Amino acid sequence: MAYWLVKSEPGTWSWDQHVKKGADAWTGVRNHQAKAHLVAMKKGDKAFFYHSNDGKEIVGVSEVVKEAYPDASDATGKFVCVDLKAVEPLKTPVTLAAIKAEEKLAKMVLVNNSRLSVQPVTADEWKAIRKMGGLK
């Protein structure tokens, strides 16, 4: 299993909306590096759900329930989406500031390439952030 982080502005698509919707397409990615990460996602992989701009914090865990397929919102036909399902909220949201303060998370993509909307997370980073967020 691989781990990921997906970012959304809460005013556009929030964790609460994601939970209410259930499984849904993660559309609108228009960056080729992020697209490559979507293509690499496999059914069963887990992803942190990160509120960007407002909050700048990881608020929940999602699961990939459908692998990459053409993004219907992309008129060019170049980009893909995956289906994600909300699994569980973090008991305590983990802020970007808290992540930056942890030396063991200094190499995390979120710290070094914070604009990337879909990014990999290592197993050690996954465990550390889950613990920071109050999950086992």
Side-chain angles (χ1 to χ4, degrees):
M1 177 189 318
Y3 302 106
W4 307 94
L5 182 142
V6 295
K7 296 169 63 177
S8 181
E9 293 181 26
T12 303
W13 186 250
S14 70
W15 171 254
D16 289 341
Q17 289 170 297
H18 183 49
V19 169
K20 189 181 286 187
K21 183 71 175 187
D24 197 28
W26 193 262
T27 62
V29 172
R30 299 296 183 266
N31 171 287
H32 289 285
Q33 187 177 10
K35 172 190 170 185
H37 295 314
L38 288 174
V39 169
M41 288 180 167
K42 299 297 177 210
K43 189 174 180 180
D45 285 357
K46 301 285 193 271
F48 285 129
F49 190 105
Y50 179 87
H51 278 164
S52 59
N53 293 343
D54 265 348
K56 294 185 180 179
E57 59 191 4
I58 297 171
V59 295
V61 175
S62 296
E63 181 178 338
V64 178
V65 294
K66 184 175 180 183
E67 295 178 13
Y69 60 96
D71 183 341
S73 72
D74 173 31
T76 71
K78 294 178 184 177
F79 292 95
V80 299
C81 61
V82 298
D83 286 1
L84 296 177
K85 162 182 91 166
V87 174
E88 64 184 329
L90 270 64
K91 292 179 181 178
T92 304
V94 178
T95 65
L96 179 58
I99 291 167
K100 286 181 175 181
E102 287 291 325
E103 187 176 327
K104 62 186 165 194
L105 298 175
K107 293 184 180 179
M108 192 170 178
V109 176
L110 183 63
V111 172
N112 297 296
N113 190 0
S114 63
R115 294 189 51 107
L116 189 60
S117 63
V118 179
Q119 49 192 255
V121 174
T122 68
D124 287 341
E125 293 164 349
W126 183 263
K127 288 177 197 167
I129 290 171
R130 283 185 60 89
K131 185 176 180 182
M132 291 169 70
L135 302 178
K136 294 184 179 192

